């Protein structure tokens, strides 16, 4: 179908233009709209639940069964980076509709793939089509939330991005129970995918129906700043500034360091205390991993909200500086005290989550709200890079150390030092962040005209 | 835009429903998480 016909179809449903809030619309309706999308797409982190069933039903290796997830994460980064400008132009309702259609139909295509034993359909459906839904869905509410909560942007984006962490908590037990009920053979997996696709479509529709953008002529909260107050920079100009690349390094280093713990959490705690009088059992290690997920989620809302009080630059000083200190404590004293090891790991994971959730507000402080969603989308390539870099470093080094005959805590010594180094690099990059030079700013009349044009087309 | 003297409709019911829509599944996820996390201290 030609693009113009698609546009006409979307226009006829009021999807193609930003939905302007009617008088009296409460801004507290926007976070649940955002959460309905993020809680759904956060399912991606629970993909591992399907892996054992897929491997036995379709005779796949572990590497093959991870393909849909890996392609999904790559597509998340690409669609967020390249679709960000479209999201800004067409508004959050369009973005959430695209996310809903892609994410749900990804499951439906996968159901067909499982039912017909065509694994490539699962890779295409969940990985490629669903992955586009992940990227567009992830950035869909960010700009809108910041515009509704100019007084508390950290808290607002923290709520949404916490939902991405929460999505896996919901999907993991839910998907496991479904496979138990339907069975782990082809038809059971197909039925589970089908139910996932339909349920997520219904659940995400709340976001499509509820999301509204504030009117640009007055602040969303009385006495507070207006949504378009302050410096405004376009996405095209933003990527030409050193500030954008400093934040890219900050995010990449913070995420890589967090993945350093996440990737190896269970074997790490087992190895650290293997030779002590209180070794860690397999089930206790699983409990540790669950606790890390809780810290990751709590950090997203807790630290991001704190950034509204102490400032974005200061909170990243904490994430990166104190994070490096926590890694140092694990490296030097971690095997002598289990509570110390657990507390340090929890703090690192809370900073990992906080780093994700605070970055949109940091972008808003530097580049304004004009195209903050598109800028955020481009910055998420740092996440994709870290997603490859983090596990690669940790697994490669752990393998080499094992080959060298090391055991216990000494297996992780080099990895921990590298993580400290990465956090220090991020800390330095954060120190280089300064207000954006005036030559990158959008002139106020052009920005106002753009907003007016959007509202007229609504 | 409606005139400023007409009071906007109350959205309390809608707000409550919208938050319940997202908080109920989240509470289920958190409950399952806590159950699993306690294994660290009992396992």
């Amino acid at each position: 179908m030609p693009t113009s016909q698609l546009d006409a179809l979307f226009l006829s449903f009021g999807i193609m233009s930003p939905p302007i809030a009617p008088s009296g619309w409460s801004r507290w309706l926007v976070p649940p709209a955002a959460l309905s999308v993020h809680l759904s797409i956060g399912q991606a982190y629970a993909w591992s639940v399907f892996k054992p069933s897929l491997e036995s039903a379709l005779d796949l290796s572990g590497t093959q069964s991870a393909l849909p997830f890996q392609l999904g994460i790559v597509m998340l980064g690409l669609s967020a980076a390249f679709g960000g400008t479209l999201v800004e132009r067409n508004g959050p309702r369009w973005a959430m509709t695209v996310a809903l259609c892609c994410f749900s139909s990804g499951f439906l295509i996968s159901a067909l793939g499982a039912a017909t034993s065509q694994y490539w359909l699962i890779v295409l459906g969940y990985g490629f089509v669903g992955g586009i839904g992940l990227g567009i869905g992830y950035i869909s509410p960010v700009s809108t939330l910041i515009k509704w909560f100019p007084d508390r942007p950290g808290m607002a984006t923290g709520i949404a991005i916490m939902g991405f962490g929460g999505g896996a908590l919901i999907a993991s037990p839910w998907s496991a129970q479904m496979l138990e009920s339907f069975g782990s053979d082809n038809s059971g997996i197909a039925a589970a995918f089908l139910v996932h696709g339909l349920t997520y479509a219904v659940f995400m529709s709340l976001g499509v129906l509820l999301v509204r953008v504030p009117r640009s002529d007055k602040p969303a909260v009385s006495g507070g700043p207006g949504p378009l107050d302050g410096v405004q920079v376009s996405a095209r100009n933003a990527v030409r500034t050193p500030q954008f690349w400093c934040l890219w390094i900050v995010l990449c280093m913070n995420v890589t360091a967090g993945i350093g713990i996440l990737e190896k959490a269970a074997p790490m705690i087992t190895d650290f205390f293997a030779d002590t009088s209180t070794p860690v059992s397999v089930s206790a290690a699983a409990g540790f991993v669950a606790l890390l997920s809780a810290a990751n989620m709590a950090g997203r809302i807790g630290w991001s909200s704190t950034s509204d009080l102490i400032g974005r630059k200061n909170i990243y000083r904490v994430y990166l500086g104190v994070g490096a200190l926590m890694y140092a404590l694990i490296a030097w004293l971690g095997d002598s005290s289990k509570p110390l090891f657990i507390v340090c790991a929890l703090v690192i994971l809370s900073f990992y989550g906080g780093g994700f959730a605070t970055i949109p507000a940091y972008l808003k402080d530097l580049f304004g709200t004009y195209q903050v969603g598109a800028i955020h989308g481009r910055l998420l390539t740092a996440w994709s890079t870290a997603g490859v870099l983090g596990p690669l470093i940790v697994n490669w080094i752990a393998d080499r150390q094992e080959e060298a005959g090391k055991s216990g805590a000494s297996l992780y010594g080099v990895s921990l030092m590298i993580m400290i180094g990465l956090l220090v690099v991020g800390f330095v990059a954060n120190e280089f962040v300064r207000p954006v030079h005036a030559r990158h700013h959008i002139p106020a009349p052009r920005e106002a005209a753009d907003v007016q044009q959007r509202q007229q087309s609504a | 835009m409606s005139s400023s003297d007409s009071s906007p409709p109350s959205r309390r019911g809608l707000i409550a429903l919208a938050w319940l829509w997202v908080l109920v599944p989240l509470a289920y996820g958190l409950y399952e998480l806590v159950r699993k996390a306690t294994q660290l201290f009992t396992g």
Side-chain angles (χ1 to χ4, degrees), chain A residues 137-164:
Chain A
Y138 193 91
I139 59 171
S140 64
V142 167
S143 166
T144 308
L145 279 167
I146 290 175
K147 283 170 188 158
W148 275 109
F149 291 87
D151 51 333
R152 281 184 281 179
M155 181 213 69
T157 54
I159 291 174
I161 292 170
M162 174 200 72
F164 196 78

Side-chain angles (χ1 to χ4, degrees), chain A residues 22-26 28-29 31-32 35-36 39 159 162 166 169-170 173-174 177 202-203 206 210 215 217-218 269 281 283-284 286-288 290-291 293-294 297 342, chain B residues 1-4 6-11 13-30 32-43:
Chain A
S23 175
W25 192 257
S26 170
W28 291 103
L29 285 165
L35 272 172
S36 74
L39 284 173
I159 291 174
M162 174 200 72
L169 302 186
I170 299 167
W174 184 57
Q177 279 177 6
V202 173
F203 191 71
L206 179 94
L210 275 190
R215 306 188 77 84
D217 52 354
K218 59 179 183 179
I269 193 170
S281 67
S283 63
F288 174 61
L291 213 56
S293 304
M297 217 177 102
I342 293 169
Chain B
M1 193 175 173
S2 61
S3 61
S4 57
S6 65
S7 58
S10 168
R11 314 262 185 201
L14 186 61
I15 293 170
L17 190 74
W19 278 98
L20 274 177
W21 182 267
V22 291
L23 287 181
V24 168
L26 187 60
Y28 160 75
L30 284 172
E32 292 290 337
L33 176 81
V34 169
R35 259 180 21 137
K36 207 170 173 185
T38 49
Q39 290 174 355
L40 176 62
F41 308 104
T42 58

Side-chain angles (χ1 to χ4, degrees), chain A residues 133-376:
Chain A
L134 294 182
I136 301 294
Y138 193 91
I139 59 171
S140 64
V142 167
S143 166
T144 308
L145 279 167
I146 290 175
K147 283 170 188 158
W148 275 109
F149 291 87
D151 51 333
R152 281 184 281 179
M155 181 213 69
T157 54
I159 291 174
I161 292 170
M162 174 200 72
F164 196 78
L169 302 186
I170 299 167
S172 186
W174 184 57
S175 306
Q177 279 177 6
M178 212 177 294
L179 286 173
E180 217 175 295
S181 309
F182 294 147
S184 295
D185 56 350
N186 283 23
S187 59
I189 299 168
F193 280 151
L194 183 70
V195 173
H196 276 73
L198 297 176
T199 309
Y200 281 125
V202 173
F203 191 71
M204 291 168 86
S205 62
L206 179 94
V208 175
L209 295 172
L210 275 190
V211 76
R212 298 284 189 282
V213 294
R215 306 188 77 84
S216 63
D217 52 354
K218 59 179 183 179
V221 56
S222 63
L228 285 171
D229 286 354
V231 166
Q232 305 295 337
V233 181
S234 69
R236 184 180 291 194
N237 280 351
V239 294
R240 293 174 182 157
T241 63
Q243 287 81 356
F244 176 88
W245 294 105
C246 283
L247 287 192
W248 196 96
I249 293 169
V250 164
L251 184 66
C252 187
M253 298 300 118
N254 194 50
V255 175
T256 307
I259 290 175
I261 285 272
L262 259 181
E263 181 73 10
K264 284 281 183 188
M268 206 168 167
I269 193 170
T270 311
D271 289 337
F272 259 74
F273 300 98
D275 301 327
T276 63
S277 57
T278 53
V280 177
S281 67
V282 175
S283 63
F288 174 61
V289 175
L291 213 56
L292 290 181
S293 304
N296 175 9
M297 217 177 102
R300 290 174 188 236
I301 178 74
W303 293 122
S304 193
S305 302
T306 309
S307 76
D308 290 333
L309 304 172
I310 68 168
R312 250 58 78 173
K313 194 165 184 169
N314 283 335
I315 202 85
Y316 275 93
R317 282 177 174 139
V318 173
Y319 297 158
L320 299 157
V322 180
L325 190 70
M326 293 293 122
Y327 262 118
L329 282 173
I330 289 179
W332 288 310
L333 303 166
D335 57 347
S336 62
S337 163
K338 210 187 286 179
L340 179 78
F341 177 92
I342 293 169
V343 168
C344 289
L346 291 177
V347 171
I348 290 170
L349 257 290
S350 76
F351 290 162
Y352 167 79
F356 268 123
T358 316
I359 210 79
Y362 208 163
L363 292 172
K364 178 252 174 195
D365 292 352
L366 290 168
F367 304 111
T369 56
Y370 177 54
Q371 288 189 332
V372 68
I375 300 168
H376 184 221

Side-chain angles (χ1 to χ4, degrees), chain A residues 66-77:
Chain A
L67 259 179
F69 169 74
Q70 287 169 335
L71 180 60
I73 294 297
V74 170
M75 289 309 297
L76 184 157

